[in-house]
């Protein structure tokens, strides 16, 4: 409202200060332009326009400096009509005329009676400069002159030089920077225009090139992935002895895609290929193709394959190819972008009209589900090699590789360690042995013992060891909670055997109960899932039975999340409920890609959703009732175990089962699973 009010106030001021007598403003006349090259020469139009604009500014300045309020509309304008100009010329008021544009534009200095006979400068559009008009100028003793563009030649050069000064300084600075960062150089040298230190070389490939790769890794250093290693040994054999395959009409594979979880050895396999093949090797990450500038990624792909063709036969290794190979049209809006252009160029280079004979592309990813289908077809990636988490035999082979350069106590069995860590990847096993070596050095020991291995496993899985509990009440509560997990897990058929129970804090947990999972975690029965739900609810059940409903704590929050997740998967994913063998979850909702999860629609009816909720609740309630009964029936055994645990702080699975067996009967199948579990002593 204030801005509106101020606007109205200003308009009132204008009305009160405006002259009461209006003056008619004649419109400028339009005439055909005459040719006056005899009077003045034609020149550059831009230079003339600058001089006219300068004169116009001078006219406006003279008008603004005037303090005559009754100047009228003629004074408020920097222009004068041709007829008015002739009137001023006849009355002898015109003092000076400057002609521009071949005599079609005139800047006139004339005496204005409205300004108190002061001299004003106005612009006049002329029909052309005729000999008659020039004669009238001479009769009235008017000072007139014609101006050409050549008079501004010096100023034009200065202006041009001034406009180019900053770009020249910028280019010079970038050149000096490239020479400084790149060292010596000529074109194509380390610091030249094609070198990596040049900031202008955006479209050049950033791939690391080795003519004779010396990675220090061979196939002997790769263990636990025998199937994948066999496929790559075949590729290496093809590169070394192609005649064995071409003789029977076989063609060299164009691409091999390594797929598997993180840490399973995909990049290690690529290093082994580089060390074994003996051919030029290019290595690059998928993220190095992506740039903020449009077209840079595609240019880098072209440059990479150009270099590869010059050094064929060779191998190109692209790590984390999902950074550039995602499905096209999956972005927001589905439009084209820089990443899709890069992918299109990659598809063309791998299998286009030209072809790339002698070039093998090896790529690695742990997100094969998001890759574009055109990238996965035969002719681009002919083979997809799965590099999964190793089994017990594979873990043993990996442990042997990483134990070569470490002092391991002869009493330790690597086979026992391999059986104890199911689900560990190659990177996890390497980290395990390294952490054990660090602990050995910290404790000033000569060799790695079972204690270092045990502590390293706990550290990797649960985190660093925290400060031990000193409060007796808190320690007792944590002990009952963990023993509740152990009792319910041991007495429920199908549950994994207890490995260790401890009240020593690690990470965010005040206490931990360790269970040893089976060898194959991918095939799990309904009985096993239900047993795990009962075991997870054992901690909360122990708190309720021992301390009462009002004394339960937040310690079971993580357990309850696991229970809800497992119960819901039983109903919606695995069809293990009274609803029936249905998959009740959309495929897009299960995708690892966030965009796919966002775009997925839930087509489940409200009635079916209610049935799902009821089924999930029924599973949880049944498991919780089982846990409460097991804790209540074995209260005496629980008190005994808690007493010993508070004293020792850590109890092995065998010790726990020996005490529990004195008070109750443990299911035979759980005992057999426990006997198959090897404990490191």
């Amino acid at each position: 409202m204030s801005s509106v009010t101020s606007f109205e106030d200003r308009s009132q001021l204008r009305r009160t200060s405006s002259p009461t007598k209006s003056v008619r403003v004649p419109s400028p006349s339009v005439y055909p332009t005459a040719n006056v090259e005899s009077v003045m020469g034609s020149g550059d139009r831009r230079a003339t326009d600058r001089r006219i604009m300068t004169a116009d500014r001078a006219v406006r300045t003279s008008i603004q400096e005037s303090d005559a309020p009754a100047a009228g509309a003629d004074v408020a304008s920097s222009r004068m009509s041709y007829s008015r100009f002739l009137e001023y010329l006849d009355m002898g008021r015109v003092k000076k005329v400057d002609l521009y544009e071949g005599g079609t534009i005139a800047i006139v200095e004339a005496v204005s009676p409205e300004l108190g006979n002061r001299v004003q400068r106005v612009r006049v559009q002329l029909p052309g400069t005729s000999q008659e008009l020039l004669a009238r100028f001479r009769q009235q003793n008017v000072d007139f002159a014609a101006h050409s563009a050549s008079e501004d030649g010096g100023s034009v050069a200065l202006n041009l030089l001034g406009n180019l000064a900053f770009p020249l300084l910028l280019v010079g600075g970038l050149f000096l920077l490239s020479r400084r960062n790149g060292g010596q150089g000529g074109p194509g040298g380390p610091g030249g225009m094609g070198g990596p230190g040049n900031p202008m070389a955006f479209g050049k490939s950033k791939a690391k090139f080795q003519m004779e790769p010396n990675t220090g890794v061979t196939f002997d250093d790769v263990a636990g992935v025998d199937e994948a290693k066999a496929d790559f040994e075949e590729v290496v054999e093809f590169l070394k002895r192609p005649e064995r395959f071409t003789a029977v009409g076989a063609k060299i594979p164009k691409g091999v895609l390594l797929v598997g979880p993180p840490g399973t050895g995909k990049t290690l396999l690529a290093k082994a290929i580089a060390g074994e093949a003996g051919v030029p090797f290019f290595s690059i990450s998928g993220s190095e193709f992506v740039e903020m500038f449009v077209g840079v990624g595609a240019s880098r792909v072209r440059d990479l394959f150009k270099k590869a063709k010059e050094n064929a036969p060779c191998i190109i290794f692209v790590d984390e190819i999902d950074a550039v190979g995602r499905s096209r049209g999956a972005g927001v809006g589905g439009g084209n972008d820089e990443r899709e252009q890069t992918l299109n160029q990659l598809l063309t280079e791998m299998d286009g009209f030209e072809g790339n004979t002698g070039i093998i592309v090896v790529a690695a990813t742990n997100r094969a589900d998001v890759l574009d289908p055109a990238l996965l077809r035969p002719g681009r990636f002919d083979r997809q090699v799965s590099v999964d988490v190793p089994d017990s035999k594979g873990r043993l082979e990996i442990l042997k590789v990483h134990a070569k350069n470490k002092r391991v106590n002869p009493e330790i069995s690597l086979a026992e360690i391999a059986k104890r860590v199911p689900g560990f990847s190659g990177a996890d096993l390497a980290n395990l042995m390294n952490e054990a070596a660090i602990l050995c050095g910290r404790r000033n020991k000569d060799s790695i013992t079972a204690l270092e291995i045990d502590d390293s496993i706990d550290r990797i899985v649960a985190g660093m060891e925290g400060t031990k509990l000193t409060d007796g009440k808190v320690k007792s509560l944590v002990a009952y909670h963990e023993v509740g997990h152990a009792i319910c897990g041991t007495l429920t058929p199908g549950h994994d055997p207890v490995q260790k129970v401890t009240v020593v804090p690690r990470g965010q947990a005040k206490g931990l109960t360790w269970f040893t999972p089976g060898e194959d975690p991918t095939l799990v029965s309904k009985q096993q899932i239900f047993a795990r739900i009962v075991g997870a609810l054992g901690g909360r059940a122990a708190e309720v039975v021992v301390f009462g409903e009002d004394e339960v704590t937040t310690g079971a929050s993580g357990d309850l999340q696991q229970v809800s997740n497992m119960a819901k998967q039983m109903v919606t994913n695995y069809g293990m409920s009274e609803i029936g063998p249905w998959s009740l979850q959309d495929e897009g909702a299960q995708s690892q890609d966030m965009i796919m999860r966002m775009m997925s629609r839930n087509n489940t009816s409200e009635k079916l959703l209610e049935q799902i909720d009821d089924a999930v609740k029924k599973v949880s309630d049944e498991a919780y009732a089982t846990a409460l009964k097991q804790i209540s029936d074995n209260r005496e055994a629980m008190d005994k175990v808690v007493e010993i645990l508070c004293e020792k702080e850590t109890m092995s699975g065998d010790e726990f089962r020996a005490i529990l067996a004195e008070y109750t009967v443990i299911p035979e199948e759980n005992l057999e699973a426990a006997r198959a579990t090897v404990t490191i002593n």
Side-chain angles (χ1 to χ4, degrees):
M1 293 301 292
S2 60
S3 60
V4 176
T5 304
S6 62
F7 176 79
E8 293 176 351
D9 292 342
R10 287 194 297 270
S11 61
Q12 290 291 336
L13 291 173
R14 291 192 185 97
R15 285 195 292 271
T16 53
S17 62
S18 60
T20 57
K21 183 179 179 181
S22 62
V23 180
R24 185 181 66 85
V25 182
S27 58
S29 305
V30 181
Y31 297 91
T33 304
N35 188 358
V36 291
E37 292 183 356
S38 60
V39 181
M40 60 178 294
S42 61
D44 185 63
R45 186 178 181 87
R46 290 179 293 179
T48 306
D49 289 340
R50 281 195 297 271
R51 294 179 61 90
I52 295 174
M53 291 172 61
T54 303
D56 285 343
R57 285 194 295 269
V59 173
R60 289 192 294 269
T61 302
S62 65
I63 293 172
Q64 292 171 358
E65 293 176 351
S66 173
D67 55 354
D74 258 351
V75 181
S77 176
S78 62
R79 297 178 179 270
M80 178 182 289
S81 66
Y82 183 62
S83 60
R84 185 87 169 183
F85 168 68
L86 294 178
E87 293 178 2
Y88 271 47
L89 185 63
D90 293 338
M91 289 184 282
R93 296 177 179 175
V94 179
K95 301 300 182 183
K96 184 178 180 182
V97 177
D98 292 306
L99 301 174
Y100 301 92
E101 295 279 334
T104 59
I105 302 293
I107 303 299
V108 180
E109 293 184 4
V111 178
S112 177
E114 292 86 353
L115 294 176
N117 293 326
R118 294 177 59 180
V119 178
Q120 65 168 340
R121 301 185 70 192
V122 295
R123 176 172 175 169
V124 182
Q125 183 76 36
L126 302 180
T129 310
S130 61
Q131 295 296 328
E132 181 183 355
L133 183 60
L134 297 178
R136 296 179 66 176
F137 288 165
R138 297 188 186 97
Q139 291 177 0
Q140 299 293 338
N141 294 323
V142 176
D143 184 12
F144 66 94
H147 301 274
S148 63
S150 59
E151 300 177 8
D152 293 334
S155 62
V156 171
L158 292 176
N159 291 336
L160 181 61
L161 183 62
N163 294 333
L164 294 177
F166 179 75
L168 290 175
L169 290 175
L170 179 61
V171 173
L174 291 176
F175 178 76
L176 293 177
L177 181 63
S178 67
R179 295 294 298 269
R180 180 180 179 182
N181 293 339
Q184 301 180 359
M193 294 303 293
N198 182 21
M200 302 299 293
F202 298 112
K204 299 296 182 181
S205 173
K206 295 184 177 182
K208 300 175 181 63
F209 173 66
Q210 292 180 335
M211 192 67 187
E212 296 181 358
N214 186 19
T215 60
V217 181
T218 63
F219 283 136
D220 294 335
D221 300 318
V222 180
V225 284
D226 296 337
E227 296 82 1
K229 188 165 68 173
D231 283 336
F232 281 106
E233 287 177 345
E234 185 177 297
V235 172
V236 172
E237 186 71 16
F238 207 125
L239 290 171
K240 289 183 176 181
R241 301 176 182 87
E243 64 277 358
R244 293 177 54 184
F245 301 90
T246 56
V248 293
K251 295 182 179 179
I252 187 171
K254 292 186 177 181
V256 181
L257 181 64
L258 289 168
V259 181
T264 52
K266 299 184 293 296
T267 305
L268 186 66
L269 268 172
K271 292 180 179 179
I273 295 170
E276 292 280 355
V279 296
F281 189 82
F282 296 84
S283 61
I284 191 171
S285 174
S287 60
E288 296 183 22
F289 290 112
V290 183
E291 199 58 80
M292 64 178 293
F293 303 103
V294 177
V296 172
S299 177
R300 288 176 178 175
V301 172
R302 287 192 296 269
D303 186 67
L304 173 61
F305 278 86
K306 179 182 177 183
K307 295 177 181 177
K309 291 176 185 177
E310 296 172 353
N311 296 275
C314 63
I315 295 175
I316 297 177
F317 175 64
V318 184
D319 201 7
E320 306 296 341
I321 195 173
D322 54 275
V324 69
R326 288 175 174 263
S327 296
R328 291 165 290 182
V332 179
N336 192 21
D337 56 10
E338 166 65 6
R339 181 185 54 76
E340 292 189 2
Q341 294 184 24
T342 307
L343 175 59
N344 292 336
Q345 187 64 43
L346 180 62
L347 296 175
T348 303
E349 293 290 346
M350 290 188 67
D351 189 21
F353 280 101
E354 295 184 8
N356 295 308
T357 306
I359 302 176
I360 298 178
V361 181
V362 181
T365 181
N366 54 5
R367 301 289 307 281
D369 57 313
V370 302
L371 295 180
D372 194 274
L375 191 65
L376 300 176
R377 74 163 176 83
R380 293 194 173 105
F381 284 109
D382 302 278
R383 297 183 180 181
Q384 294 188 31
V385 180
S386 178
V387 186
D388 210 342
V389 176
D391 56 6
S392 178
K393 181 181 178 182
R395 292 194 297 272
L396 176 60
E397 297 297 325
I398 295 173
L399 286 173
K400 290 180 179 179
V401 171
H402 295 295
K404 286 181 180 178
N405 58 349
K406 295 178 177 62
R407 293 182 180 179
V408 181
N409 195 307
E411 297 179 357
I412 293 182
S413 173
L414 295 179
E416 295 177 355
I417 301 175
K419 292 180 180 180
R420 193 180 166 188
V421 289
F424 270 40
S425 64
D428 294 329
L429 295 172
N431 188 32
L432 169 62
M433 298 303 297
N434 187 60
E435 288 289 343
I438 293 174
L439 289 177
C440 182
R442 184 183 301 171
R443 296 169 181 175
N444 200 21
K445 292 185 176 181
D446 295 332
S447 61
I448 300 173
T449 63
L451 181 60
E452 282 73 44
I453 296 294
D454 188 61
D455 291 343
S456 298
I457 295 175
D458 294 349
R459 183 172 182 176
I460 292 173
V461 177
M464 291 283 293
E465 182 177 328
T467 305
K468 295 184 178 181
L469 300 175
T470 57
D471 190 341
K473 182 180 179 181
V474 175
K475 192 174 185 179
S476 176
L477 190 148
V478 173
Y480 273 106
H481 184 100
E482 299 304 328
V483 172
H485 287 305
I487 289 177
C488 291
T490 303
L491 297 181
T492 306
H495 201 285
D496 301 321
V498 176
Q499 177 185 321
K500 182 173 62 175
V501 184
T502 180
V503 292
V504 178
R506 282 191 176 273
Q508 301 296 324
K510 297 295 184 183
L512 292 166
T513 302
W514 300 82
F515 297 93
T516 304
E519 185 59 41
D520 191 358
T522 59
L523 296 175
V524 186
S525 66
K526 180 180 179 180
Q527 183 190 45
Q528 290 175 317
I529 299 176
F530 183 78
R532 292 175 182 178
I533 295 176
V534 174
L537 291 172
R540 170 57 62 88
E543 292 184 17
V544 172
V545 172
V546 177
F547 301 100
E549 288 281 357
D550 296 334
E551 295 296 327
V552 295
T553 65
T554 59
S557 61
D559 302 330
L560 298 179
Q561 291 179 2
Q562 295 180 12
V563 168
S564 300
N565 186 34
M566 287 188 291
K568 191 172 183 179
Q569 285 186 343
M570 287 182 65
V571 177
T572 59
N573 291 2
Y574 308 138
M576 298 178 179
S577 68
E578 58 186 13
I579 297 178
W582 288 9
S583 179
L584 304 174
Q585 192 169 0
D586 188 77
E587 184 178 355
Q590 304 178 17
S591 176
Q592 297 181 359
D593 190 63
M594 183 184 66
I595 297 177
M596 295 295 294
R597 292 198 303 268
M598 293 174 60
M599 296 176 61
S600 65
R601 296 184 300 174
N602 189 1
N603 298 321
T604 309
S605 64
E606 294 184 2
K607 182 178 180 180
L608 188 56
L609 288 175
E610 293 180 359
Q611 294 179 359
I612 293 173
D613 293 339
D614 293 339
V616 172
K617 187 176 185 302
K618 183 177 180 181
V619 172
S620 301
D621 291 345
E622 185 179 350
Y624 186 54
T626 303
L628 287 173
K629 186 176 185 305
Q630 291 175 349
I631 297 297
S632 301
D633 295 343
N634 299 278
R635 175 66 186 276
E636 187 178 357
M638 173 180 284
D639 294 336
K640 183 63 175 178
V641 173
V642 168
E643 181 183 353
I644 298 175
L645 183 61
C646 290
E647 181 181 353
K648 298 179 63 175
E649 294 187 339
T650 300
M651 181 183 294
S652 68
D654 293 336
E655 291 176 326
F656 169 77
R657 281 185 290 272
I659 298 172
L660 186 61
E662 297 177 0
Y663 296 90
T664 186
V665 178
I666 301 175
E668 185 63 27
E669 57 184 299
N670 289 2
L671 288 176
E672 292 179 359
R675 295 189 192 101
T677 304
V678 180
T679 304
I680 301 176
N681 298 315

